[in-house]
Amino acid sequence: MRESYREDLNGVVDDLVGMTERVRHAVRLSTQALLEADLVIAEQVISDDALLDAQHDDLESRCFVLLARQAPVAGELRTIVAAMRMVADLARMGDLACHVAKIARLRFPTKAVPEGLVPNFELMARVAEDMVATAGRALHDRNAHDAAKLADSDEEMDELRKSQFRILLGSEWPYTVEAAVDVALLGRYYERTADHSVIMAGRVIYVVTGTHPAGENWTYA
């Protein structure tokens, strides 16, 4: 009975890792749709978000079953509780990629990102995608050290966001108000994807060590 319980718990974690890869792929595709004004890819990201939502519901339900079947011991309980929260983080990251794709679709056939901001968004997207991948890898390997690296990556994202705001709020903004609104929203979506990756990494550290990481670089909301 106990062995079967652990197998089911490991299955939840494995599927969480798989969900992380799907989210990473959504971030990549939504960025491609955004920067290339590709309507087909944008529609794919938007439709695929329903699959991520369905996986969220399935994993959350399986976690509730694991809690109800028998009293989990300390490490198991940490894993179940963390998994329930991580699946919510991953679903939210999927939603954010979907938001990016919707802006790409809204502005089609033109590109939502002004030419002068393209390098900034390319870097933001790369950092966000790498952070999602690192969070998934840390969960798969139960590696608290790799998870801790995400706090530094989040600082890189914050610097890119500050650079973006300097351009947005500068006296020589050469683009439209509509473009400014799009850039502000899009930058927020990538920033929040990074934030959720850090939150997920903090939960990995909690699963491995039994304690939450402390410091101003760590958040849980």
Side-chain angles (χ1 to χ4, degrees), residues 34 100 103 120-121 124 157 161 164-165 168 181-193:
L34 179 70
V100 171
I103 290 183
N120 176 273
F121 273 98
M124 290 186 88
M157 177 65 82
R161 183 74 162 139
Q164 189 180 89
F165 272 121
L168 268 174
V181 172
D182 285 345
V183 166
L185 286 172
L186 289 163
R188 181 59 173 164
Y189 297 152
Y190 284 105
E191 181 183 36
R192 285 302 293 162
T193 297

Side-chain angles (χ1 to χ4, degrees), residues 24 32 65 68 112-113 163 186 212 219-220:
R24 184 199 64 77
Q32 183 179 349
V65 169
V113 176
S163 174
L186 289 163
H212 291 291
T219 181
Y220 299 98

Side-chain angles (χ1 to χ4, degrees), residues 127-140:
V127 172
E129 187 180 337
D130 287 348
M131 290 179 72
V132 174
T134 299
R137 186 169 59 251
L139 174 61
H140 177 271

Side-chain angles (χ1 to χ4, degrees), residues 27 53 89 137 140:
V27 172
D53 290 341
D89 290 320
R137 186 169 59 251
H140 177 271

